[in-house]
Amino acid sequence: MEEAKPVPQVGVVVFVLKGKSVLLGRRLSSIGASTFALPGGHLEFGESFEECGARELKEETGLEMGKAEYITVTNNLFLDQPKPAHYVTIFLRAALADPDQLPQNLEPNKCDGWEWYEWDKDKLPQPLFWPLDQMVRSGFNPFP
Ligand code: 8DG
Ligand code: MG
Ligand code: MG
């Protein structure tokens, strides 16, 4: 049987803000393996961006998302991958429902672990997942 023609997918990712820091984890998934990225995943049928962000954050870190808002969208081509991909990625920023809650690594096959990193281009971990790296290089700041 012929393989289905690839189509763009929608990713929703969350800048979880705590003080001056954001939550990042080193990816183990094939796209962007070993680079630091935000929690997030695929928008499911019928979900709002906020519902998706909250669900992915909970599934991946156990954290309860607090108040969230849309900040930007990017068009990301991963055409040089063994399985080429195209993501329209929605970025949210959110606070934690409980600022004292600690992140857990609930999907250890997909992520090396979650840590808070100060949003300062010289203090962020390297290498960043390239969509995030591009945003940092362009001077993007997720804080309101
Ligand atoms: P799921 O099965 O839980 O829905 O998916 P996932 O395994 O959690 O998906 P993901 O790769 O973490 O996220 C989906 C896509 O979103 C990812 O392949 C590419 C895009 N994406 C970006 N930037 C970022 C980012 O900073 N973090 C994450 N997690 N995904 C990102 O363009
Ligand atoms: Mg996920
Ligand atoms: Mg994910």
Side-chain angles (χ1 to χ4, degrees):
M1 218 170 71
E2 236 180 272
E3 262 195 57
K5 196 174 162 208
V7 293
Q9 293 180 275
V10 180
V12 177
V13 302
V14 189
F15 284 100
V16 185
L17 307 182
K18 183 176 168 173
K20 294 180 187 166
S21 299
V22 302
L23 189 69
L24 297 173
R26 197 191 276 270
R27 285 170 72 80
L28 301 174
S29 319
S30 57
I31 296 181
S34 91
T35 64
F36 288 87
L38 301 164
H42 300 89
L43 184 70
E44 290 183 0
F45 187 87
E47 269 183 334
S48 69
F49 299 153
E50 290 77 11
E51 284 166 347
C52 177
R55 176 183 54 73
E56 286 288 342
L57 183 67
K58 177 93 180 165
E59 286 173 1
E60 297 182 355
T61 72
L63 294 171
E64 298 286 345
M65 194 173 86
K67 193 172 170 300
E69 63 181 339
Y70 163 86
I71 43 179
T72 192
V73 61
T74 61
N75 189 39
N76 300 317
L77 307 179
F78 304 92
L79 301 180
D80 57 354
Q81 297 293 311
K83 191 169 175 238
H86 177 178
Y87 281 95
V88 173
T89 308
I90 312 292
F91 291 81
L92 306 179
R93 70 167 151 242
L96 287 173
D98 168 6
D100 295 328
Q101 200 189 350
L102 299 176
Q104 297 164 261
N105 190 15
L106 297 183
E107 293 182 343
N109 56 326
K110 288 188 179 180
C111 178
D112 216 22
W114 299 101
E115 290 288 345
W116 300 102
Y117 295 94
E118 190 174 328
W119 189 266
D120 175 321
K121 70 174 173 33
D122 300 321
K123 292 186 186 163
L124 287 169
Q126 295 294 334
L128 291 172
F129 190 25
W130 75 257
L132 196 56
D133 192 53
Q134 282 191 328
M135 291 167 89
V136 172
R137 285 170 194 274
S138 75
F140 174 84
N141 184 333
F143 288 83

